Amino acid sequence: MVELVRQLMERQALRRMDDLDDARVEALGTALMRLDDAMAELRGRYGLSVADLNLDLGPLGRLLDQ
């Protein structure tokens, strides 16, 4: 679930980048990179791979692009 929420937040943030000034775009990029690093750390801590987080969302398809 955490990966689903992370992806949704990332996609929403990327859609709103046009409305942000350069400093906020830079801060957003830094925050997204830190979040990605935290997810990698959690995957490592619990012995999960990216494929383990690829949820089947039914008619919407898989969460992660292959």
Side-chain angles (χ1 to χ4, degrees):
M1 279 315 277
V2 173
E3 180 63 14
L4 173 62
V5 172
R6 184 194 75 77
Q7 290 231 356
L8 291 173
M9 288 175 44
E10 181 177 316
R11 290 175 186 170
Q12 185 67 19
L14 292 174
R15 274 186 245 152
R16 294 182 177 192
M17 279 182 50
D18 292 336
D19 299 332
L20 301 177
D21 61 31
D22 290 343
R24 290 197 184 244
V25 169
E26 184 70 27
L28 176 61
T30 300
L32 290 174
M33 286 189 298
R34 290 179 61 199
L35 182 56
D36 190 56
D37 290 343
M39 286 300 299
E41 180 183 332
L42 286 171
R43 284 193 312 270
R45 181 180 300 165
Y46 294 104
L48 299 170
S49 69
V50 174
D52 293 328
L53 303 178
N54 196 4
L55 301 174
D56 182 358
L57 301 175
L60 298 175
R62 306 294 290 179
L63 172 63
L64 305 174
D65 296 330
Q66 295 298 324

